[in-house]
Amino acid sequence: MLISIVIRTYNEARYLDQLLTAIASQEIPGHTSEVIVVDSGSTDNTLEIASSHHCRIIHIVKEQFSFGRSLNVGCAAAKGEILVFISGHCIPVHKYWLKMLCTPLIENMASYTYGRQLGGKESYFSEKRIFAKYYPEYSSIPQKGFFCNNANAAIQRTAWEHLLFDEELTGLEDMELASRLTSNGGEIAYVAEAAVFHLHNEDWPTVQLRFEREALALQKIMPHVHIRRRDLIRYILCSIWQDWCHAWHENVLQKTMLEIVKYRVCQYWGSFKGNRLSRKLSRQDKEVYFYPSTSPALAGLSANAPANHDDAGGWLSAVPTKNKLNVKQEIT
């Protein structure tokens, strides 16, 4: 069986060589793999690194980019019966990552799988807490609910061909497809043993923008979820306090105290903005959402937003508890 690994890239040179080296070392007897890189205009050494590892490179222009479209393009070009997705800034923890991630698909225990995500030494403390919450150490095969994440995931080709990723969403294309898949009787599996290090390298405006973009996408998937101003304040204060308690137990509170405040404010302010925002994105706005660079760009996006929206965080983390349980009952 051929397994196709699809990697979306935009200036991923920092970790791409480590990722591709780790992919080359994977052991999955009886199966072969190909690597497809879907690049949307990298200006660093991303393409040179991909070429040196003999990847098949597909180019997509910025104006046509969305997370769903880039995956559909990569999947259409792939030849494998199983399609694997991994972020260009993720690195498999061990040489059995691919085998563990694909086994439930090969054995028809599920149509869509996703694996564990871990932070690295440079990851924000709060982000590592989010990883620990949504990607626990125990597998659930199959799981209940439609939570899924394409930073480390795989799907049967037949399932992708039947559903395809939504190309209009600003994020959460994985959850949107998973929602349709489970509604049609499909199964999703969480495979804790298929772990990767997920290594974000974001400034604060980019953190906020990521959560805003995902909250905007969540409106289509869960339109009944609304974040009020009092929810925003409560989520920020509760998450900061809980993070401080964990940091104190880990003897890193003094080092991370201010960082925790900044992260949680960016997360929930971005989620609040995205939850209140409902509009068709202009080309300029898409550039800001998908290719954030500086805080002035972020300010430009806010200036173009409708006058009646309340301004801005992260998607599921800001969902009230009763709604979280409906989405992801076994792995929260």
Side-chain angles (χ1 to χ4, degrees):
M1 180 180 290
L2 177 64
I3 297 171
S4 299
I5 302 171
V6 180
I7 307 173
R8 295 176 295 199
T9 60
Y10 175 72
N11 291 342
E12 297 285 6
R14 181 171 183 178
Y15 299 112
L16 187 60
D17 184 68
Q18 296 177 65
L19 166 59
L20 295 175
T21 299
I23 289 175
S25 71
Q26 294 298 302
E27 294 187 6
I28 180 166
H31 304 280
T32 58
S33 63
E34 64 171 352
V35 180
I36 298 172
V37 169
V38 182
D39 188 79
S40 54
S42 292
T43 57
D44 61 3
N45 294 327
T46 293
L47 297 179
E48 288 83 353
I49 294 170
S51 296
S52 70
H53 285 268
H54 308 292
C55 300
R56 188 142 56 99
I57 301 173
I58 298 173
H59 299 275
I60 182 170
V61 297
K62 284 185 176 183
E63 292 76 13
Q64 296 179 352
F65 176 86
S66 72
F67 293 113
R69 182 173 297 118
S70 61
L71 286 181
N72 284 337
V73 168
C75 292
K79 301 175 182 177
E81 298 171 62
I82 291 178
L83 307 170
V84 174
F85 313 121
I86 185 167
S87 169
H89 46 272
C90 286
I91 302 172
V93 170
H94 52 67
K95 62 183 179 180
Y96 300 109
W97 157 76
L98 188 60
K99 177 182 178 180
M100 297 295 184
L101 187 64
C102 295
T103 294
L105 305 180
I106 295 171
E107 298 182 357
N108 289 313
M109 293 184 288
S111 301
Y112 202 172
T113 64
Y114 67 105
R116 192 178 186 189
Q117 297 181 31
L118 304 167
K121 292 181 179 179
E122 298 180 9
S123 298
Y124 293 125
F125 184 86
S126 296
E127 183 166 58
K128 288 190 283 189
R129 291 267 297 139
I130 292 174
F131 286 156
K133 178 178 181 179
Y134 290 105
Y135 308 101
E137 58 182 321
Y138 300 107
S139 296
S140 182
I141 305 175
Q143 71 169 32
K144 294 181 180 179
F146 57 84
F147 180 84
C148 192
N149 192 287
N150 275 341
N152 177 23
I155 190 170
Q156 292 175 338
R157 184 181 189 88
T158 52
W160 167 75
E161 288 177 335
H162 179 66
L163 297 169
L164 301 180
F165 289 105
D166 188 319
E167 299 188 358
E168 299 302 318
L169 290 176
T170 56
L172 304 187
E173 77 291 338
D174 36 28
M175 279 184 55
E176 194 278 333
L177 185 146
S179 176
R180 288 184 283 129
L181 187 150
T182 54
S183 295
N184 291 326
E187 299 279 11
I188 298 173
Y190 169 64
V191 188
E193 295 81 6
V196 301
F197 293 111
H198 195 158
L199 307 172
H200 281 130
N201 183 31
E202 300 173 324
D203 58 17
W204 298 119
T206 305
V207 171
Q208 177 184 320
L209 194 60
R210 172 162 56 91
F211 283 106
E212 179 180 338
R213 184 183 67 229
E214 293 184 353
L216 177 59
L218 186 65
Q219 291 183 53
K220 179 173 180 179
I221 305 169
M222 300 176 68
H224 58 283
V225 174
H226 302 287
I227 304 174
R228 299 163 295 183
R229 289 186 179 275
R230 62 176 177 269
D231 295 324
L232 168 66
I233 296 171
R234 178 165 58 90
Y235 296 153
I236 290 175
L237 294 179
C238 289
S239 61
I240 289 173
W241 175 252
Q242 291 175 5
D243 284 359
W244 279 355
C245 290
H246 280 270
W248 182 78
H249 284 294
E250 296 179 25
N251 296 316
V252 294
L253 179 58
Q254 185 174 0
K255 176 183 176 181
T256 61
M257 179 177 286
L258 182 59
E259 171 203 299
I260 287 170
V261 173
K262 291 181 177 179
Y263 190 96
R264 292 302 189 175
V265 169
C266 288
Q267 174 190 357
Y268 288 110
W269 181 243
S271 294
F272 180 76
K273 283 184 66 178
N275 182 254
R276 296 298 185 92
L277 190 62
S278 179
R279 63 196 177 96
K280 187 175 181 64
L281 296 180
S282 68
R283 174 175 167 181
Q284 178 183 355
D285 292 341
K286 287 182 179 180
E287 290 271 328
V288 177
Y289 268 129
F290 295 126
Y291 302 94
S293 54
T294 60
S295 52
L298 182 62
L301 178 66
S302 299
N304 291 329
N308 63 348
H309 95 281
D310 289 310
D311 285 38
W315 60 279
L316 194 57
S317 307
V319 177
T321 302
K322 62 181 180 180
N323 291 325
K324 286 183 185 176
L325 293 176
N326 291 334
V327 177
K328 186 165 178 285
Q329 297 178 11
E330 287 200 358
I331 59 175
T332 46

